[in-house]
Amino acid sequence: MTRCAIFHPPSSILAFALALALCALPGRAADRPPGVDEKLWSLLVQIDARSAKVKDLTADFTQEKFTPLLKKPLLSTGTIRIKGPTSLWNTRQPEPTILRVDEKSIKLLYPRQKVLEVYATDQRMGALAASPFPRLDVLSKHFTFEQIPTKDLGVQTTDGSHIALRMRPTDAQLKEHIDEVSVLLEVATGYVKKAQTIDPDGDRIVLSFANIRANTGLSDADLALDVPPGVSVTHPLEGDQQGKDK
């Protein structure tokens, strides 16, 4: 069976890391960047502070990938676990895959095909790619911020319970992979309820999160990647052949 890689490294993975961009780990709040409305930035800093209480997170996700090459979107579902700078995406349908991202590498396991793809995390972009929790001070160095109507992300709300943002990269390296990232935030918790990324090829990925559970006491073992015996390890960006490593 051909691999139906819903997660297509490296651009989609970087986009997924940014999809949870405003859930934050403890750290210094950012100064307001030029061109960002003062009231909007004040709200983002407040959300950032609330999100700082999140030490670990578990959620169910539904992903739709829209591409000009297909009439219908590719749909996948699964769960995500996050602790510190590590995230583990377990896709169950339509094709099992397990994606682990940390500050050193991105690993994508195809259990049925017994293949593990390994991608080194670029040191320069590590603060963004490694953690699904980049802080505002990190994001403001690489993105512009714009508030958009929540209906642009499929939610009709006027009670102030949610806020929608569009972020566009200012960094040339990021522009190679991402045109824009939009997120729907729950103001009271700082949780990302929905995220959309658009890449330079016109592919659009929409992620929806449900059953979000924070601070359940996840351990490092809960985010370990269990690689079965007999799996072939390949490093696609380094030009090696599948099966080079075992």
Side-chain angles (χ1 to χ4, degrees):
M1 180 184 295
T2 302
R3 284 184 252 164
C4 58
I6 299 299
F7 297 108
H8 184 262
S11 59
S12 292
I13 293 173
L14 181 57
F16 295 141
L18 293 170
L20 300 179
L22 295 176
C23 290
L25 290 177
R28 182 181 63 83
D31 295 329
R32 180 167 61 96
V36 177
D37 178 76
E38 183 175 356
K39 184 177 180 180
L40 171 61
W41 192 250
S42 177
L43 179 59
L44 294 182
V45 171
Q46 293 176 40
I47 294 172
D48 188 52
R50 296 185 189 115
S51 302
K53 298 177 182 178
V54 176
K55 309 301 180 182
D56 63 68
L57 184 146
T58 303
D60 300 327
F61 73 83
T62 299
Q63 178 190 291
E64 296 175 281
K65 181 174 182 179
F66 300 84
T67 173
L69 300 178
L70 299 175
K71 292 183 178 180
K72 295 183 179 181
L74 297 172
L75 179 68
S76 62
T77 59
T79 60
I80 178 173
R81 293 177 176 176
I82 301 165
K83 181 177 182 289
T86 304
S87 60
L88 189 74
W89 300 75
N90 192 334
T91 299
R92 293 169 179 163
Q93 298 291 338
E95 178 76 6
T97 61
I98 303 174
L99 172 73
R100 188 180 190 275
V101 183
D102 61 30
E103 65 272 19
K104 293 183 179 180
S105 66
I106 296 167
K107 296 180 179 179
L108 182 58
L109 175 65
Y110 300 89
R112 289 180 180 172
Q113 292 80 12
K114 293 187 176 182
V115 173
L116 175 64
E117 296 178 350
V118 180
Y119 302 82
T121 302
D122 186 280
Q123 184 176 4
R124 180 165 172 255
M125 303 311 298
L128 290 171
S131 176
F133 295 146
R135 289 305 304 263
L136 284 178
D137 60 337
V138 174
L139 291 169
S140 62
K141 296 175 183 177
H142 301 284
F143 288 89
T144 62
F145 295 83
E146 175 190 4
Q147 186 171 355
I148 59 176
T150 59
K151 65 180 181 180
D152 287 4
L153 288 174
V155 176
Q156 293 281 359
T157 177
T158 58
D159 60 3
S161 61
H162 293 75
I163 182 175
L165 297 175
R166 179 184 292 122
M167 297 181 291
R168 289 192 171 98
T170 57
D171 186 282
Q173 187 175 358
L174 275 175
K175 287 181 179 180
E176 295 178 5
H177 304 294
I178 301 170
D179 270 354
E180 64 179 58
V181 180
S182 299
V183 292
L184 178 72
L185 292 162
E186 187 176 63
V187 173
T189 61
Y191 295 160
V192 173
K193 304 303 290 287
K194 202 166 190 178
Q196 175 179 273
T197 63
I198 301 176
D199 70 21
D201 294 326
D203 289 349
R204 181 167 61 94
I205 296 171
V206 179
L207 279 161
S208 300
F209 298 94
N211 196 21
I212 299 173
R213 306 171 300 281
N215 299 331
T216 61
L218 291 178
S219 66
D220 292 342
D222 291 325
L223 281 85
L225 182 62
D226 185 14
V227 181
V231 168
S232 297
V233 181
T234 182
H235 303 259
L237 296 185
E238 297 176 17
D240 66 354
Q241 299 297 316
Q242 181 173 313
K244 179 179 179 181
D245 300 327
K246 294 287 186 182

